Amino acid sequence: VQLQASGGGLVRTGDSLTLSCAVSGRTLRYYAIAWFRQAPGKEREGISCLRSSSGSTDYAGSVQGRFTISRDNLKNTVYLQMSSLRPEDTAVYYCAAAIGYYSCSDFRMDGLDYWGKGTLVTVSS
């Protein structure tokens, strides 16, 4: 499975931005797709997760109500719609896939099998 995150850029406080995670490879079956981010000088944190079979989602408290994860099965793409962006949302954003069972709400990095290269989001004040 290959993952390609895209859509990052420079935006202003309060703006919206949508990131995409294109999924490809020999198998497109995955248990969950998660979005993580890593701000400068900070650890990588999980922010959103979508379970493939049910479509149910989880969010970190820092983005709850502002970010929305969704998918387009025809395009094999998972999206992260981000609104009301803040300077503290500045980070490199990564998408990752778990082929087997993954506890979305825990956002454990070691439970994810594949990672895409990140895309940088910069929010200016």
Side-chain angles (χ1 to χ4, degrees):
V1 176
Q2 289 84 47
L3 305 170
Q4 179 64 55
S6 62
L10 173 63
V11 297
R12 296 183 176 182
T13 297
D15 282 352
S16 298
L17 192 66
T18 298
L19 305 182
S20 300
C21 177
V23 183
S24 62
R26 294 180 62 183
T27 174
L28 299 178
R29 298 177 65 84
Y30 52 85
Y31 182 88
I33 294 284
W35 284 97
F36 280 69
R37 68 183 181 185
Q38 188 164 18
K42 295 188 177 181
E43 294 186 353
R44 193 171 298 188
E45 63 168 339
I47 57 172
S48 186
C49 185
L50 180 145
R51 298 171 186 83
S52 179
S53 60
S54 66
S56 60
T57 59
D58 278 290
Y59 297 92
S62 57
V63 305
Q64 180 79 46
R66 299 188 299 124
F67 291 12
T68 302
I69 189 171
S70 62
R71 62 181 171 177
D72 184 330
N73 289 334
L74 292 179
K75 295 183 178 180
N76 296 318
T77 300
V78 175
Y79 301 98
L80 185 68
Q81 297 170 279
M82 307 184 293
S83 62
S84 302
L85 284 164
R86 308 164 179 168
E88 53 264 39
D89 294 318
T90 295
V92 177
Y93 285 71
Y94 302 88
C95 57
I99 303 303
Y101 173 78
Y102 179 74
S103 178
C104 271
S105 58
D106 291 337
F107 290 115
R108 292 180 61 91
M109 288 193 291
D110 59 2
L112 294 158
D113 301 294
Y114 299 95
W115 289 81
K117 293 183 179 179
T119 184
L120 176 63
V121 174
T122 303
V123 184
S124 64
S125 57

